[in-house]
Amino acid sequence: MSRSTLVLPERPKLPASGGGPMPFEPACAIFRRYLRGQKLKFTPERAMILDAALRREGLFSADMLVVDLRSAGRVSRATVYRTLTHLHDAGILKQVFFDNRQSYFEVLTHGQHNDYLISVEDGRVIEFRSDKLARLLDEICQEHGFKRAGHQLHLYGTQAE
Amino acid sequence: MSRSTLVLPERPKLPASGGGPMPFEPACAIFRRYLRGQKLKFTPERAMILDAALRREGLFSADMLVVDLRSAGRVSRATVYRTLTHLHDAGILKQVFFDNRQSYFEVLTHGQHNDYLISVEDGRVIEFRSDKLARLLDEICQEHGFKRAGHQLHLYGTQAE
DNA sequence: CTGATTGCAAACACTTTGCAGCAGA
DNA sequence: TCTGCTGCAAAGTGTTTGCAATCAG
């Protein structure tokens, strides 16, 4: 009884961790290239969703995008979800899981804050980035015979008085 | 438009990160003490759920416990969820989020593997622990004026050939 | 005895999906 | 034209909750 190796039911969506193929190339061009490569189409809805995501700073949920898009011409929730998946696969977004309710996204082209410090007191999320950490993670992967493809770190802390 | 500080809708459930109050004290005693302190009751169902969790090695989901418990005398899914919350609050379990579907738990008293290396190829989860990492995380928290209360790290990697 | 607990089923919240009509390339 | 795309509503999935009966302390 009881196994010691868990295998996730779904293939993990790896969070690209910076250094991707898009340091300065505009996200829109990356997206179009990705879509073309997959024989998918660049529609006005997809353009609007990408635009809304790019306007966001920091983390956002699918629902926040839906709300943002209500002002400009209305996109259905289903399309937002479908497009977020494509944006993720194109390496433009990173998907983050803080709890078992909704997931959050972050534009990878924006800044380089890939890690999160969450205040236990009020749920505030502070984004940061540490090169020292990245190096250590590479090291750890190597020790286990892996090559790092991405990571997700949530630090929880209480305000030091 | 667009805020840059996300505030999670629910207060985060902080994942106690080792060094808690229970290096060798039996989990059952910890749980009874916790329950008494909260004026809650130690019922046969709660005992069975704790027992099933302790028998598990590594990560498990709520559903896995429900299945484990079918053999011994049946506990309802609702009670399993309710009890998992208490076990978490008592510091006996850690809750882990790999995706937006279900959450996983891990007994904190068991080993000290608090971090996860996920194989992108097959979804396998390898548990590990790094003291060097813990120290670095403390450092990072300090830099931001926080005191570390826990953390969650998911490393994604591809098998290095 | 009294308030906490249980199982059940219904409710929830977020996400995914089937389908008929629409529209890029 | 020929796929792929969209919106809608329905279905899914893991988790939570209201309630009446039950039980621990």
Side-chain angles (χ1 to χ4, degrees):
Chain A
M1 121 167 352
S2 308
R3 325 229 326 282
S4 78
T5 311
L6 173 74
V7 178
L8 299 177
E10 305 261 324
R11 290 299 149 269
K13 303 190 178 178
L14 92 158
S17 64
M22 81 206 66
F24 294 114
E25 192 180 359
C28 185
I30 298 165
F31 193 35
R32 301 187 82 131
R33 177 152 42 78
Y34 167 82
L35 291 173
R36 205 170 315 125
Q38 303 286 315
K39 297 196 193 308
L40 303 176
K41 291 167 183 171
F42 185 77
T43 65
E45 288 83 359
R46 286 180 179 166
M48 290 171 65
I49 293 165
L50 172 55
D51 188 65
L54 293 176
R55 278 184 205 287
R56 282 257 157 208
E57 296 164 36
L59 295 158
F60 57 88
S61 65
D63 192 67
M64 292 178 191
L65 281 199
V66 173
V67 172
D68 287 357
L69 286 165
R70 279 214 212 297
S71 41
R74 174 163 267 80
V75 179
S76 81
R77 195 169 295 269
T79 299
V80 169
Y81 277 107
R82 287 187 277 233
T83 302
L84 284 172
T85 303
H86 288 132
L87 289 170
H88 177 275
D89 293 347
I92 293 167
L93 296 185
K94 175 184 176 181
Q95 191 171 10
V96 187
F97 307 106
F98 287 110
D99 54 47
N100 51 18
R101 302 205 161 227
Q102 76 216 107
S103 51
Y104 294 88
F105 297 85
E106 181 170 39
V107 176
L108 278 172
T109 40
H110 266 171
Q112 293 303 355
H113 26 66
N114 286 313
D115 300 307
Y116 312 99
L117 172 53
I118 300 122
S119 165
V120 170
E121 279 109 359
D122 55 19
R124 205 156 26 101
V125 179
I126 295 143
E127 295 156 52
F128 70 94
R129 176 183 179 73
S130 159
D131 290 323
K132 212 191 268 187
L133 176 69
R135 278 195 297 276
L136 177 55
L137 296 183
D138 282 337
E139 227 174 80
I140 291 171
C141 275
Q142 246 172 38
E143 279 167 25
H144 290 266
F146 279 81
K147 197 165 153 309
R148 180 160 71 98
H151 76 269
Q152 222 166 274
L153 171 67
H154 304 337
L155 257 171
Y156 295 84
T158 51
Q159 206 97 34
E161 74 300 322
Chain B
M1 114 164 0
S2 309
R3 325 230 325 283
S4 79
T5 311
L6 174 74
V7 177
L8 300 177
E10 306 260 324
R11 289 299 149 269
K13 304 190 178 178
L14 93 158
S17 64
M22 78 204 69
F24 294 114
E25 191 181 358
C28 185
I30 299 164
F31 194 34
R32 299 187 83 132
R33 177 152 42 78
Y34 168 82
L35 291 174
R36 206 170 313 126
Q38 303 287 316
K39 295 197 193 306
L40 304 175
K41 291 167 184 173
F42 186 76
T43 65
E45 288 82 1
R46 286 180 179 167
M48 291 170 63
I49 293 165
L50 172 56
D51 187 64
L54 292 175
R55 279 184 205 287
R56 281 258 158 208
E57 296 164 34
L59 295 159
F60 58 87
S61 64
D63 192 66
M64 292 179 191
L65 281 198
V66 173
V67 172
D68 288 357
L69 286 166
R70 279 212 212 297
S71 41
R74 173 162 267 81
V75 179
S76 81
R77 196 169 295 269
T79 300
V80 168
Y81 277 107
R82 286 188 276 234
T83 302
L84 283 173
T85 303
H86 288 131
L87 288 170
H88 178 275
D89 293 347
I92 292 166
L93 296 184
K94 174 185 177 180
Q95 191 172 10
V96 186
F97 307 106
F98 287 111
D99 55 47
N100 53 16
R101 304 205 159 225
Q102 77 215 106
S103 53
Y104 294 89
F105 297 85
E106 182 171 39
V107 176
L108 278 173
T109 40
H110 267 172
Q112 293 302 353
H113 25 67
N114 287 312
D115 300 307
Y116 312 99
L117 173 53
I118 300 122
S119 166
V120 170
E121 279 108 359
D122 55 18
R124 207 158 24 102
V125 179
I126 295 142
E127 295 155 51
F128 69 93
R129 178 183 179 73
S130 160
D131 289 324
K132 211 191 270 187
L133 176 69
R135 279 194 298 277
L136 177 54
L137 297 184
D138 282 337
E139 227 175 80
I140 291 171
C141 275
Q142 245 171 41
E143 279 168 24
H144 290 265
F146 279 82
K147 198 165 155 306
R148 180 160 69 101
H151 76 270
Q152 224 167 272
L153 170 68
H154 304 336
L155 257 172
Y156 294 84
T158 51
Q159 207 97 34
E161 74 301 323

